[in-house]
C-alpha cells in the first residue's frame, strides 16, 4: 500500500515537473513549436496537463449539476486557447496541477495509521496439530486450531487460552498501560504482545473477523467516506462562477459597444478578466495550509486522518482524549508505598526491588526504578523464581521474599487477614494496582510482634486498618501501589481547552473504571468512559 502511494506521488511529481519544464522552454523560445508542425507546445501542454480538469469540471456540471472551482479554471483556460493566448492557458493549468498534487499528498499522509495497524498482525502462526507444532501462513489457520505463542511474540488470532499463563500487553488495542495477566479461560486478541510465558490459544476468530481486523476495516471505511480536501474556492464556486461569467459578459459589452473596440481586442479583454479572476490562489490556499498543518502535527507526534478534519476543528465544542500515552505517560510507576507498622516505606521498597531485579515484568522494572530514584542500596538476591502472571520469590538477606499479586501471596500464606484485604479493596477502588510484599523467616515470629498494620501513608485512605495476624512464618511487609503517571501539562491543557470555549472534555480508555475515574479527577475532565474496545 505504501509503495503504491509512493509510486503515485513520484509519477505525479514527474508529470507536473515535465509540464513546468515545457512551459519554461516555451517561454525561452527553445521549444516553441512541435517539430514539423506549427502547433504551439503550450497548446499541447494545456491539453495534456488539463484534460482531467476539463473532464471532471464538465462532468460535475452536466451529471451532478454542481459548480466547482475547476469550472472557472476550465473556462479561463479554454477561453485563452480560443483567442491564441496559449501560454496563459498552460500557466493556469500548471498552477491547478500543483494544487492537485498538494491535495493528493495530504490524502496519502492519512494511510500511515492503517499501515501501522496492519504491521501488528503476524503473517504466520505456530499451530499444534496431531501433537506436533508447525508454522503456517496466517490464512491457513482455522477456527478451533490451537495456536502456540511464545514470549515476545504477537498473538496472531483472537481466541481463548487453553494452557499456560502469561502477561499480555494489550496497549495496541485497548490502550491499557499495564499488561494484563492471562491464564486458562481468558480471552486474548490478535495484535497484542505476549510478554512472558508460553500460551496455547484455541482460535475463535481469524483475519478480518478479529478485533484488529475490525479496526482496520473501520479505518478503511473512514478513508472511503472522506472526500477530497475541500478547497476554499469550492465553498464559493456556486456564486463565484456565475459572477465571473457576468463580469466577463459586461466587459465584452462595454468594450464592444461602449468603446467600439475591434472584436479581437474585446475578446482579449474578456479573457484577461477570466484569467485574472481565475481562483488559482484560492485553489492553492487550502491544500497548502493542510500540508503545512499535517507536517507541523507530525512533528508533534499527532496523526490527522486528513485535511477535512483539520478544517472541522474550528467548529469543535467537545474534545475526547485517549488516556494512555496522551493524558498519561503510558508507563506504570510506583505511586506510593504502604509499609506495615514495623517497617518504613524505603525498607519495603528496597526488599521488593532486591527480589524483582532479575524480573522482566513492567511492574518489576517500575519498582527497581523507584528504588534507584530514591538512591536505595539494592541487596543481592539468590534462588530467584518467577511465577508467570503471579509474582516472584527470592532469598534476600537470608529471608525468603515474596512479591506479587493478592492471589499469589494468599497461596503462599494460606490466607490474607481482613485488614490487608480491606486495604487492597480500597486501593483497587482508587484505580491502583497493588503489589504485596511478604517475607518468610526460619524462626517462628515473636508473639510480642504477632500483629501489625499497614501505615497510613496516603491521604485518600483515612479509616483505621485492622491488625494483620501472623498465623504463619510469613508476614506482610507492605503494599506498593502502582499506576500510570499523569503526563506533565495534561491538567493545564484541559484547562486551556475550556478557556478556549470547549464545552465538554471527555476521557476515553480501555482501562478499568476505577483507574479511569482517578485520572479523570486528576486532569479535570467533564466525563469519562472506561473499559472500551477499539471500535
Amino acid at each position: 500500500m505504501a509503495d503504491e502511494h509512493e509510486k503515485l506521488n513520484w509519477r505525479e511529481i514527474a508529470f507536473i515537473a515535465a509540464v513546468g519544464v515545457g512551459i519554461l522552454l516555451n517561454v525561452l523560445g527553445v521549444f516553441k513549436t512541435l517539430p514539423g508542425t506549427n502547433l504551439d507546445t503550450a497548446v499541447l501542454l494545456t491539453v495534456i496537463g488539463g484534460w482531467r480538469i476539463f473532464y471532471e469540471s464538465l462532468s460535475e456540471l452536466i451529471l451532478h449539476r454542481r459548480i466547482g472551482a475547476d469550472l472557472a479554471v476550465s473556462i479561463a483556460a479554454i477561453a485563452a486557447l480560443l483567442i491564441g493566448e496559449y501560454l496563459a492557458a498552460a500557466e493556469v493549468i500548471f498552477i491547478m496541477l500543483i494544487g492537485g498534487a498538494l491535495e493528493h499528498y495530504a490524502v496519502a499522509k492519512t494511510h500511515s495509521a492503517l499501515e501501522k495497524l496492519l504491521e501488528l498482525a503476524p503473517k504466520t502462526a505456530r499451530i499444534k496439530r496431531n501433537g506436533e507444532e508447525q508454522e503456517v501462513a496466517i490464512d491457513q489457520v482455522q477456527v478451533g486450531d490451537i495456536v502456540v505463542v511464545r514470549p515476545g511474540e504477537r498473538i496472531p488470532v483472537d481466541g481463548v487460552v487453553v494452557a499456560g499463563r502469561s502477561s499480555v500487553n494489550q496497549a495496541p488495542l485497548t490502550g491499557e498501560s499495564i499488561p494484563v495477566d492471562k491464564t486458562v479461560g481468558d480471552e486474548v486478541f490478535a495484535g497484542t504482545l505476549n510478554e512472558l510465558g508460553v500460551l496455547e490459544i484455541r482460535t475463535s476468530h481469524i483475519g478480518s473477523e478479529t478485533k484488529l481486523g475490525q479496526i482496520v476495516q473501520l479505518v478503511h471505511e473512514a478513508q472511503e467516506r472522506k472526500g477530497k480536501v475541500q478547497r476554499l474556492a469550492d465553498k464559493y464556486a456556486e456564486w463565484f462562477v456565475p459572477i465571473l461569467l457576468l463580469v466577463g459578459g459586461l466587459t465584452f459589452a462595454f468594450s464592444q459597444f461602449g468603446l467600439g473596440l475591434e472584436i479581437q481586442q474585446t475578446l482579449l479583454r474578456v479573457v484577461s478578466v477570466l484569467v485574472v479572476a481565475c481562483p488559482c490562489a484560492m485553489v492553492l490556499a487550502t491544500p497548502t495550509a493542510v500540508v503545512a498543518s499535517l507536517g507541523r502535527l507530525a512533528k508533534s507526534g499527532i496523526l490527522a486522518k486528513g485535511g477535512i478534519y483539520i478544517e472541522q476543528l474550528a467548529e469543535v465544542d467537545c474534545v475526547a482524549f485517549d488516556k494512555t500515552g496522551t493524558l498519561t505517560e503510558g508507563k506504570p510507576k510506583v505511586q506510593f508505598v504502604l509499609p506495615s507498622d514495623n517497617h518504613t516505606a524505603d525498607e519495603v521498597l528496597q526488599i521488593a526491588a532486591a527480589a524483582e531485579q532479575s524480573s522482566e515484568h513492567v511492574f518489576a522494572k517500575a519498582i527497581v526504578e523507584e528504588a534507584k530514584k530514591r538512591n536505595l542500596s539494592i541487596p543481592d538476591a539468590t534462588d530467584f523464581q518467577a511465577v508467570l502472571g503471579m509474582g516472584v520469590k527470592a532469598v534476600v538477606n537470608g529471608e525468603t521474599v515474596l512479591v506479587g499479586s493478592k492471589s499469589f501471596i494468599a497461596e503462599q500464606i494460606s490466607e490474607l487477614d481482613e485488614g490487608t484485604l480491606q486495604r487492597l479493596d480500597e486501593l483497587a477502588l482508587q484505580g491502583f494496582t497493588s503489589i504485596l510484599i511478604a517475607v518468610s523467616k526460619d524462626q517462628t515470629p515473636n508473639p510480642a510482634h504477632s500483629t501489625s498494620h499497614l501505615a497510613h501513608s496516603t491521604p485518600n485512605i483515612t479509616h483505621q486498618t485492622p491488625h494483620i495476624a501472623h498465623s504463619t512464618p510469613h508476614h506482610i511487609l507492605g503494599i506498593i501501589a502502582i499506576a500510570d503517571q499523569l503526563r506533565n501539562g495534561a491538567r493545564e491543557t484541559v484547562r486551556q481547552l475550556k478557556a478556549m470555549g470547549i464545552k465538554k472534555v471527555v476521557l476515553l480508555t480501555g482501562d478499568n473504571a476505577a483507574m479511569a475515574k482517578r485520572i479523570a479527577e486528576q486532569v479535570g475532565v467533564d466525563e469519562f468512559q472506561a473499559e472500551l474496545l477499539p471500535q
Side-chain angles (χ1 to χ4, degrees):
M1 183 183 298
D3 292 339
E4 290 177 5
H5 287 295
E6 188 175 349
K7 291 177 183 177
L8 176 64
N9 281 336
W10 280 113
R11 285 199 300 266
E12 191 171 13
I13 291 171
F15 177 72
I16 295 172
V19 172
V21 170
I23 292 174
L24 179 61
L25 294 176
N26 184 285
V27 172
L28 297 175
V30 177
F31 191 47
K32 190 72 176 176
T33 60
L34 287 177
T37 69
N38 292 324
L39 181 64
D40 196 307
T41 54
V43 176
L44 186 64
L45 293 172
T46 303
V47 174
I48 294 176
W51 74 268
R52 186 179 295 275
I53 297 172
F54 300 147
Y55 173 77
E56 290 182 354
S57 60
L58 290 176
S59 64
E60 284 286 302
L61 178 64
I62 296 172
L63 300 178
H64 305 289
R65 296 181 180 179
R66 187 182 303 141
I67 297 176
D70 289 355
L71 183 60
V73 174
S74 299
I75 292 172
I78 293 172
L81 288 177
L82 292 176
I83 68 165
E85 294 295 330
Y86 306 136
L87 192 59
E91 289 172 349
V92 168
I93 293 302
F94 180 62
I95 293 174
M96 285 295 296
L97 289 175
I98 294 175
L102 289 173
E103 288 180 1
H104 297 161
Y105 175 75
V107 171
K109 294 287 285 185
T110 68
H111 287 268
S112 58
L114 184 58
E115 291 163 13
K116 289 181 180 179
L117 283 175
L118 292 173
E119 289 172 1
L120 292 177
K123 301 297 185 290
T124 62
R126 190 180 298 102
I127 62 175
K128 205 171 186 180
R129 288 178 181 168
N130 301 322
E132 296 183 357
E133 291 184 13
Q134 52 182 300
E135 190 166 340
V136 299
I138 192 65
D139 57 4
Q140 295 181 21
V141 180
Q142 301 176 1
V143 173
D145 279 345
I146 302 298
V147 175
V148 180
V149 184
R150 293 171 181 165
E153 295 180 342
R154 290 199 178 274
I155 297 174
V157 298
D158 284 3
V160 177
V161 178
V162 294
R165 173 181 285 171
S166 183
S167 291
V168 176
N169 185 342
Q170 299 187 150
L173 292 186
T174 66
E176 292 174 280
S177 58
I178 296 174
V180 180
D181 293 335
K182 299 290 185 179
T183 187
V184 176
D186 290 335
E187 191 175 12
V188 292
F189 306 105
T192 58
L193 180 65
N194 180 32
E195 293 196 336
L196 297 175
V198 177
L199 292 176
E200 293 187 10
I201 303 162
R202 186 179 303 280
T203 303
S204 60
H205 298 90
I206 57 175
S208 60
E209 299 298 321
T210 64
K211 297 293 184 186
L212 179 62
Q214 292 172 16
I215 297 173
V216 172
Q217 182 60 32
L218 287 173
V219 175
H220 268 305
E221 292 174 359
Q223 291 180 343
E224 289 172 1
R225 287 195 301 266
K226 180 182 65 57
K228 293 194 307 178
V229 177
Q230 188 176 16
R231 295 179 299 218
L232 184 63
D234 286 334
K235 298 180 180 179
Y236 308 107
E238 289 188 2
W239 60 264
F240 178 80
V241 173
I243 290 177
L244 179 62
L245 294 176
L246 177 61
V247 172
L250 292 175
T251 302
F252 178 86
F254 180 74
S255 300
Q256 184 70 26
F257 304 112
L259 299 179
L261 300 178
E262 295 182 1
I263 188 65
Q264 185 67 23
Q265 291 178 306
T266 298
L267 292 176
L268 183 60
R269 287 193 171 197
V270 172
V271 171
S272 297
V273 169
L274 295 177
V275 172
V276 170
C278 183
C280 293
M282 289 192 291
V283 166
L284 288 172
T286 300
T288 303
V290 166
V291 170
S293 300
L294 290 173
R296 178 65 181 84
L297 290 172
K299 289 181 180 178
S300 302
I302 301 171
L303 178 67
K305 285 186 177 180
I308 189 171
Y309 302 107
I310 295 177
E311 292 184 51
Q312 290 173 349
L313 282 176
E315 303 174 1
V316 166
D317 60 2
C318 175
V319 174
F321 281 106
D322 175 42
K323 181 186 76 67
T324 305
T326 305
L327 294 179
T328 67
E329 295 180 359
K331 180 182 178 183
K333 289 188 176 181
V334 173
Q335 303 298 310
F336 51 83
V337 181
L338 298 178
S340 65
D341 56 2
N342 293 328
H343 300 276
T344 66
D346 282 353
E347 288 174 351
V348 174
L349 189 61
Q350 186 180 42
I351 294 174
E356 291 276 28
Q357 59 188 320
S358 298
S359 175
E360 293 297 320
H361 198 283
V362 290
F363 289 168
K365 293 178 180 179
I367 291 172
V368 173
E369 182 181 330
E370 181 65 20
K372 291 180 178 179
K373 183 179 177 181
R374 299 189 186 191
N375 295 319
L376 301 179
S377 175
I378 303 176
D380 293 331
T382 58
D383 297 335
F384 173 82
Q385 299 176 39
V387 181
L388 294 177
M390 298 290 284
V392 301
K393 179 188 295 187
V395 176
V396 180
N397 296 332
E399 299 178 341
T400 299
V401 178
L402 308 171
V403 183
S405 63
K406 177 175 71 173
S407 57
F408 174 66
I409 301 299
E411 285 180 5
Q412 306 296 320
I413 296 181
S414 75
E415 186 177 352
L416 293 175
D417 66 278
E418 183 181 344
T420 301
L421 292 173
Q422 188 175 349
R423 181 54 53 84
L424 293 173
D425 290 341
E426 291 170 350
L427 292 173
L429 288 174
Q430 294 175 40
F432 296 105
T433 298
S434 298
I435 304 297
L436 279 166
I437 301 90
V439 297
S440 172
K441 296 185 178 181
D442 293 335
Q443 71 274 16
T444 303
N446 189 326
H449 297 90
S450 62
T451 61
S452 67
H453 64 275
L454 298 177
H456 307 286
S457 55
T458 56
N460 293 333
I461 305 175
T462 57
H463 63 271
Q464 186 71 17
T465 305
H467 289 181
I468 300 175
H470 297 262
S471 57
T472 71
H474 299 82
H475 69 278
I476 303 295
L477 293 185
I479 301 173
I480 297 177
I482 293 180
D484 201 357
Q485 186 78 18
L486 194 66
R487 185 185 288 273
N488 290 334
R491 188 181 295 102
E492 177 63 17
T493 297
V494 172
R495 189 195 66 77
Q496 290 182 4
L497 284 174
K498 292 183 177 180
M500 292 168 58
I502 300 298
K503 297 178 181 178
K504 180 184 287 188
V505 181
V506 182
L507 169 65
L508 307 176
T509 180
D511 277 338
N512 61 67
M515 186 174 296
K517 181 180 179 182
R518 181 176 62 82
I519 296 296
E521 291 175 346
Q522 287 182 358
V523 81
V525 300
D526 302 299
E527 181 182 323
F528 72 89
Q529 297 289 333
E531 300 177 5
L532 300 176
L533 291 176
Q535 62 266 39

